[in-house]
């Protein structure tokens, strides 16, 4: 009798698993680069169109997307908005997207040449609101068709084929292939840091110092993980020289650095570590509180190098003097977009706050504990930051009782 019951239970589990598996529907992205036209042709292919009622896209106001063709209905009431209602069965939406994004100063946020393309996957597939049938799980992959002579493609997603990647973002219902991407004639360096597969890639001849970047990452990696306990499966770092934008910018699983950015600047901070903190912390601000996101990234860009043994005490004090001079005219940290002086003043405040937390807790806590708490929040406001800190302190904070935060 027991054997029959166990067999029946096993059968129920099998049928349940089969039913669950039947609800998985493939969504494939196919990308073909067209260097002569500075465009890519993108296709979204749904295995079962009836699984999705609609995808409503935000196309932006730059006119990057064009030539939409759909199985089913494509509705576009304005240049900024478009909706796809897939046909039943295997359904396809195709369009073209411009790759190069010039800035007013002649620099580029994304660029395509005859030999390579450097861009964000966020721009290949515009953000969209997904309305799907209940119980359906879309399984997304992206495949690239490279022009003749282009050797490889790198993304921050796990590779499941030569030019194919699995896209699985648990924070989104609609799995877009976000993050930095680089295709063409590339040079790469790879390493395993902790549990993370790290790739540093750049077009050949662009002057990106891949081994310098890898060495710096190895130097600070354990310190970053001590503060922000994450083990991303993969991290991609890309870069190029002029006329690309001369800075650094992070994505969810990747970051970009201009070829001329030093590992440590003359002012003692590290743009590479700054962007790495963004990748690991994923802290997002709200309510004119960008000082939190940028201030913490810059605070740890200094602090983690210091903890790793890369900064002496006199050098640290010289960095503080520079931050003080740079931010002397700042009278408020509250803004939607932090500037250099505001970020510098935020770093000084955070350094004083860390000191206050350590003294009042007799060394049991630090700003690290606050940062780990912020990682668990969807967005962080100044009020939420103060509340979390004062909860940890068990009372009000003298450092945070300042007109800078009002």
């Amino acid at each position: 009798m027991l054997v029959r019951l166990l067999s029946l239970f096993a059968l129920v589990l099998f049928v349940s698993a089969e039913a669950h598996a039947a609800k998985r529907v493939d969504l494939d992205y196919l990308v073909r680069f067209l260097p002569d036209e500075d465009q890519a042709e993108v296709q979204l292919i749904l295995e079962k169109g009836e699984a999705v009622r609609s995808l409503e896209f935000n196309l932006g106001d730059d006119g990057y997307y064009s030539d939409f063709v759909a199985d089913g209905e494509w509705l576009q009431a304005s240049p900024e908005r478009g909706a796809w209602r897939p046909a039943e069965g295997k359904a396809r939406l195709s369009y073209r997207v411009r790759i190069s994004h010039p800035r007013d100063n002649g620099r580029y946020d994304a660029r395509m040449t005859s030999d390579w393309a450097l861009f964000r996957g966020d721009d290949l597939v515009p953000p969209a609101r997904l309305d799907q049938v209940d119980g359906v799980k879309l399984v997304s992959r992206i495949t690239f068709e490279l022009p003749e002579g282009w050797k490889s493609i790198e993304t921050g997603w796990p590779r499941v084929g030569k030019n194919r990647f699995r896209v699985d973002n648990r924070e989104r219902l609609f799995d877009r292939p976000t993050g930095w991407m680089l295709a063409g004639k590339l040079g790469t360096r790879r390493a395993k840091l902790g549990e993370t597969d790290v790739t540093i890639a750049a077009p050949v001849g662009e002057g990106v110092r891949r081994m310098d970047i890898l060495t710096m990452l190895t130097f600070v990696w354990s310190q970053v993980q001590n503060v922000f306990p994450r083990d991303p499966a993969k991290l991609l770092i890309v870069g190029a020289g002029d006329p690309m934008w001369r800075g650094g910018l992070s994505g969810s699983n990747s970051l970009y650095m201009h070829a001329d950015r030093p590992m440590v600047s003359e002012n003692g901070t590290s743009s590479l570590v700054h962007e790495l903190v963004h990748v690991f912390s994923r802290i997002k601000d709200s309510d004119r509180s960008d000082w939190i996101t940028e201030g913490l990234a810059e605070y740890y860009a200094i602090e983690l190098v210091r903890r790793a043994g890369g900064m002496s005490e006199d050098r640290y004090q010289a960095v503080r003097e520079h931050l003080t001079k740079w931010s002397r005219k700042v009278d408020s940290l509250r803004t939607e977009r932090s500037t250099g002086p505001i970020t510098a003043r935020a770093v000084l405040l955070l350094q004083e706050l860390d000191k206050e937390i350590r003294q009042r807790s007799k060394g049991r806590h630090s700003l690290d504990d606050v940062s780990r708490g912020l990682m668990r929040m969807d967005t962080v406001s100044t009020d939420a930051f103060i509340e979390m800190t004062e909860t940890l302190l068990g009372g009000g904070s003298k450092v945070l009782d300042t007109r800078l935060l009002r």
Side-chain angles (χ1 to χ4, degrees), residues 102-172:
R103 289 187 163 203
D104 292 338
N105 60 5
R107 302 289 176 180
Y108 286 82
D109 289 331
R111 188 169 179 238
M112 177 182 276
T113 74
S114 59
D115 293 325
W116 51 268
L118 174 55
F119 57 95
R120 278 175 283 190
D122 311 54
D123 297 322
L124 281 182
V125 181
R129 188 175 70 84
L130 171 64
D131 182 7
Q132 66 180 28
V133 174
D134 292 343
V136 166
K137 167 62 178 175
L138 295 182
V139 179
S140 302
R141 301 174 186 87
I142 184 167
T143 303
F144 295 87
E145 181 181 327
L146 302 182
E148 185 176 354
W150 289 28
K151 295 182 178 180
S152 60
I153 169 76
E154 298 289 348
T155 81
W157 299 102
R159 191 183 295 271
V160 294
K162 183 178 180 182
N163 296 320
R164 196 179 195 210
F165 303 84
R166 173 75 167 96
V167 179
D168 185 13
N169 190 338
R170 297 179 181 179
E171 298 176 1
R172 301 173 184 265

Side-chain angles (χ1 to χ4, degrees), residues 11-256:
L11 179 61
V12 169
L13 287 178
F14 177 79
V15 171
S16 175
E18 286 291 296
H20 178 73
K23 296 178 182 179
R24 296 168 68 88
V25 175
D26 287 340
L27 170 60
D28 287 300
Y29 301 99
L30 301 181
V31 180
R32 183 167 68 97
F33 294 110
L34 307 169
D36 292 342
E37 303 175 46
D38 190 22
Q39 289 186 325
E41 183 181 82
V42 181
Q43 297 183 46
L44 279 64
I45 304 173
L46 267 170
E47 177 190 10
K48 296 180 180 179
E50 60 270 22
V52 172
R53 298 186 185 94
S54 69
L55 269 168
E56 298 183 11
F57 293 96
N58 180 357
L59 305 177
D61 55 8
D62 294 309
Y64 289 145
Y65 305 95
S66 63
D67 301 301
F68 287 90
V69 178
D71 292 332
E73 290 185 290
W74 173 253
L75 307 172
Q76 191 166 354
S78 71
E80 294 82 19
R81 312 290 300 186
W84 180 33
R85 295 175 183 170
E88 293 187 0
K90 193 170 186 177
R92 186 184 312 254
L93 172 69
S94 67
Y95 56 88
R96 290 193 173 198
V97 56
R98 194 172 82 211
I99 297 297
S100 296
H101 292 182
R103 289 187 163 203
D104 292 338
N105 60 5
R107 302 289 176 180
Y108 286 82
D109 289 331
R111 188 169 179 238
M112 177 182 276
T113 74
S114 59
D115 293 325
W116 51 268
L118 174 55
F119 57 95
R120 278 175 283 190
D122 311 54
D123 297 322
L124 281 182
V125 181
R129 188 175 70 84
L130 171 64
D131 182 7
Q132 66 180 28
V133 174
D134 292 343
V136 166
K137 167 62 178 175
L138 295 182
V139 179
S140 302
R141 301 174 186 87
I142 184 167
T143 303
F144 295 87
E145 181 181 327
L146 302 182
E148 185 176 354
W150 289 28
K151 295 182 178 180
S152 60
I153 169 76
E154 298 289 348
T155 81
W157 299 102
R159 191 183 295 271
V160 294
K162 183 178 180 182
N163 296 320
R164 196 179 195 210
F165 303 84
R166 173 75 167 96
V167 179
D168 185 13
N169 190 338
R170 297 179 181 179
E171 298 176 1
R172 301 173 184 265
L173 180 61
F174 177 48
D175 283 331
R176 294 168 60 215
T178 55
W180 285 98
M181 299 181 181
L182 178 63
K185 300 175 182 178
L186 312 179
T188 60
R189 292 289 183 271
R190 304 181 195 277
K192 184 90 168 183
L193 299 180
E195 299 299 318
T196 303
D197 291 321
V198 178
T199 299
I200 298 103
V204 173
E206 287 294 304
V208 174
R209 299 175 179 86
R210 302 174 190 85
M211 285 305 299
D212 288 5
I213 294 173
L214 184 55
T215 300
M216 185 65 166
L217 289 177
T218 305
F219 182 66
V220 301
W221 193 266
S222 62
Q223 300 296 335
V224 177
Q225 285 197 307
N226 284 341
V227 180
F228 306 104
R230 290 193 196 275
D231 289 297
K234 187 175 180 181
L235 172 67
L236 172 67
I237 298 177
V238 299
D242 293 341
M244 287 294 293
W245 181 61
R246 298 178 67 87
L249 191 61
S250 60
S252 57
N253 51 16
S254 54
L255 63 89
Y256 157 83

Side-chain angles (χ1 to χ4, degrees), residues 282-295:
R282 301 181 191 175
I283 296 171
K284 298 178 181 178
D285 57 81
S286 62
D287 189 27
R288 298 184 300 116
S289 300
D290 197 41
W291 72 270
I292 298 173
T293 305
E294 291 303 316

